[in-house]
Amino acid sequence: MTFDYDLFVIGGGSGGVRAARIAAGEYGARVALAEESRMGGTCVIRGCVPKKLMIFASQAEALAAEARGFGWTQATAGLFDWQAFRHKLDGELTRLEGAYTGGLVAANVDIHKARARLADAHTVELSNGQRLTAKHILIAVGGRPQRPGIPGEELGLISDDLFLMEDLPGRVLVVGGGFIACEYATILAGLGSRVTVAYRGDAMLRGFDAEMRRFATEQLRMIGVDLRLETDPARLDRRDGAVRVTFRGGDTDDFDHVMFATGRVPNTAGLGLDDLGVALGPRGQVLVDEWSQSSVPSIFAVGDVTDRVNLTPVAIREGHCFADTVFGARPRKVDHSLFGAAVYTRPHEVASIGLTEEEAGERGPHDVYVASFRPMRSLFAGSDARAVMKLIVEAGGGRVVGCHIFGPEAGEMIQLVAIPMGMGATKAQFDAAIAVHPTLAEELVTMRRPARHIGMGGSDKTVGAA
């Protein structure tokens, strides 16, 4: 059978763009890509990039306060101009969108600005009426924010809406306890909004190391966020120009806006996958094997739509490995067992790779090394904020299997820790590295005595305890 293309990619996010560019540009495949919105997907247009720029903007007042601690007596952040920031942000996102599009054009990928759905295992139908065939089809449509399913939920915003707001809210409720909720609360509080966070758990950042969760939770309080844990909104109503929130338990409060950061789900609705017999999971995710192949042999999927590890660099790696395997005769799989992650809160970030202390304790004996200290820079300026670094090590000085950092630029540090951990480095090899002084990162190679032993078959033992 003759096909219009060797590969048709549905979705112009990081994973889909990488797969298309490598397949066409490096291996000479005939490739087309359809994107119904802006090129770059969630990360570039509605996530990582604009969010990080907003984090930078939100720190101006804190940086001015720090400067005063260093003797700059008239240091001030001045007034924040949301409209000016949005205009500049829009320009930067347009530039990045152009770079993504330019890379595809340079690789000779045909771009279709249209919504796509599958008509059969080799045919894509576009919203403009075109029908195109391909030997292979790659689903890379990512995920979408979900609402909590309560009465009046339509009165709330989703995470995407932060970048489209005409004005900053005076008072805002952020609902959720994950990294998006933490980062959005940090941003809005730093830009001057009065922020409340409602989360049904007892600490933020479910899934992270418990010690890091405690510090992240307290830091939100420290920057002025009103944390309401172990509660959830039960309904939303419009009330005199505001949104009235009724919480579980009956309490009510009014806000200018309510923003739901209650998770994301794979964006598979309306793609026609059910009709083709493509196996989907309970959240609507495309079920794939280790080669990113679905239950229909010609259809593959990468990125958040598979609900494996929902991080942009993982989607990029999956897309690249798919192209290498299918078009480059270089079979490659993605190891999803070890990946770094960072939560860009301020003043301190949370970053993690490998096992948490709780996970390690369930697997057997491990040693936990912890350094807790007040960083020199913020200490001198008058801050009481503490940084914490933790290494999880196989008992007896074996491999480092987990690293967790709460501190300034933790994300930058965890990226470098990922290299030795990926190579199976031992605690002795960490110790052999000569420290760079004075730095925060030197603590990672100067912890000589474990704080406690875990997974011992009984009560965990704290070193030095009676």
Side-chain angles (χ1 to χ4, degrees):
M1 180 178 177
T2 302
F3 299 102
D4 296 320
Y5 295 102
D6 301 311
L7 171 65
F8 198 104
V9 178
I10 302 178
S14 297
V17 167
R18 175 61 65 91
R21 188 169 57 80
I22 297 302
E26 292 197 13
Y27 301 128
R30 295 170 301 146
V31 180
L33 181 147
E35 170 55 54
E36 66 176 327
S37 182
R38 300 181 67 179
M39 199 68 71
T42 297
C43 180
V44 173
I45 304 300
R46 299 174 293 277
C48 321
V49 172
K51 177 185 65 181
K52 191 73 177 285
L53 292 171
M54 284 186 173
I55 285 284
F56 292 148
S58 71
Q59 284 308 106
E61 186 61 50
L63 291 173
E66 183 181 79
R68 293 193 293 272
F70 276 88
W72 294 88
T73 57
Q74 296 186 33
T76 176
L79 297 175
F80 178 68
D81 187 333
W82 171 249
Q83 296 299 334
F85 175 81
R86 270 198 59 195
H87 178 73
K88 191 169 184 178
L89 177 64
D90 288 343
E92 175 63 8
L93 300 185
T94 298
R95 183 189 71 82
L96 291 171
E97 183 179 15
Y100 267 62
T101 301
L104 291 172
V105 171
N108 295 314
V109 175
D110 289 344
I111 299 173
H112 298 274
K113 298 296 290 183
R115 179 170 176 80
R117 69 181 305 277
L118 278 71
D120 62 43
H122 293 283
T123 304
V124 174
E125 185 175 71
L126 302 180
S127 54
N128 60 17
Q130 274 187 291
R131 288 171 68 94
L132 299 166
T133 60
K135 184 176 181 180
H136 304 285
I137 296 172
L138 179 67
I139 309 297
V141 294
R144 57 178 173 80
Q146 65 177 347
R147 298 175 188 268
I150 60 174
E153 64 176 16
E154 69 279 359
L155 299 177
L157 306 176
I158 56 174
S159 57
D160 294 355
D161 294 324
L162 175 63
F163 314 113
L164 304 174
M165 298 174 71
E166 290 299 324
D167 299 291
L168 282 173
R171 192 170 185 213
V172 59
L173 172 68
V174 178
V175 182
F179 70 92
I180 295 176
C182 288
E183 290 171 342
Y184 280 25
T186 298
I187 290 167
L188 290 165
L191 295 180
S193 297
R194 289 168 292 153
V195 181
T196 299
V197 171
Y199 176 51
R200 63 178 180 269
D202 61 357
M204 304 295 280
L205 294 180
R206 181 173 62 88
F208 279 75
D209 183 271
E211 192 167 15
M212 301 297 117
R213 295 182 68 193
R214 290 195 298 273
F215 278 96
T217 300
E218 288 307 311
Q219 178 172 261
L220 286 174
R221 290 194 175 102
M222 183 190 76
I223 66 171
V225 173
D226 176 15
L227 274 185
R228 302 184 187 182
L229 301 178
E230 298 183 286
T231 188
D232 249 348
R235 67 175 296 121
L236 273 56
D237 296 284
R238 181 67 67 188
R239 176 85 174 196
D240 298 329
V243 179
R244 171 153 295 183
V245 178
T246 302
F247 294 92
R248 301 193 191 283
D251 292 342
T252 62
D253 210 340
D254 292 344
F255 300 90
D256 296 323
H257 289 294
V258 174
M259 180 168 290
F260 294 119
T262 47
R264 299 175 66 86
V265 293
N267 195 23
T268 51
L271 288 179
L273 298 177
D274 286 325
D275 297 336
L276 299 183
V278 175
L280 302 177
R283 286 167 43 82
Q285 71 270 33
V286 180
L287 299 178
V288 294
D289 64 13
E290 57 191 349
W291 302 104
S292 294
Q293 189 172 36
S294 78
S295 58
V296 175
S298 61
I299 299 174
F300 295 75
V302 298
D304 291 5
V305 75
T306 68
D307 206 27
R308 289 178 286 185
V309 176
N310 297 335
L311 295 170
T312 296
V314 175
I316 292 172
R317 180 65 58 85
E318 290 171 355
H320 203 136
C321 288
F322 159 79
D324 285 344
T325 300
V326 175
F327 298 102
R330 297 173 52 206
R332 287 207 301 150
K333 305 175 187 177
V334 178
D335 180 3
H336 293 93
S337 65
L338 189 67
F339 56 89
V343 185
Y344 297 111
T345 48
R346 286 292 192 268
H348 291 176
E349 299 172 354
V350 180
S352 175
I353 186 169
L355 300 180
T356 66
E357 182 173 343
E358 295 70 40
E359 291 169 338
E362 293 174 357
R363 297 191 182 193
H366 288 80
D367 299 326
V368 180
Y369 294 79
V370 180
S372 177
F373 56 97
R374 294 166 70 189
M376 180 175 66
R377 173 176 166 171
S378 53
L379 172 63
F380 186 88
S383 171
D384 291 326
R386 301 189 70 81
V388 182
M389 297 189 182
K390 175 187 288 189
L391 292 177
I392 313 294
V393 181
E394 291 176 337
R399 289 184 309 123
V400 177
V401 295
C403 178
H404 309 279
I405 303 173
F406 176 75
E409 307 301 334
E412 302 289 345
M413 287 186 274
I414 211 71
Q415 175 66 84
L416 297 181
V417 174
I419 299 172
M421 281 187 58
M423 299 171 66
T426 64
K427 181 64 167 63
Q429 289 170 318
F430 268 63
D431 294 344
I434 297 175
V436 179
H437 181 75
T439 65
L440 291 168
E442 68 181 298
E443 299 292 336
L444 294 169
V445 299
T446 58
M447 292 185 279
R448 295 291 184 260
R449 182 178 172 84
R452 52 190 170 271
H453 307 295
I454 61 173
M456 307 300 290
S459 298
D460 293 339
K461 179 181 178 182
T462 301
V463 175

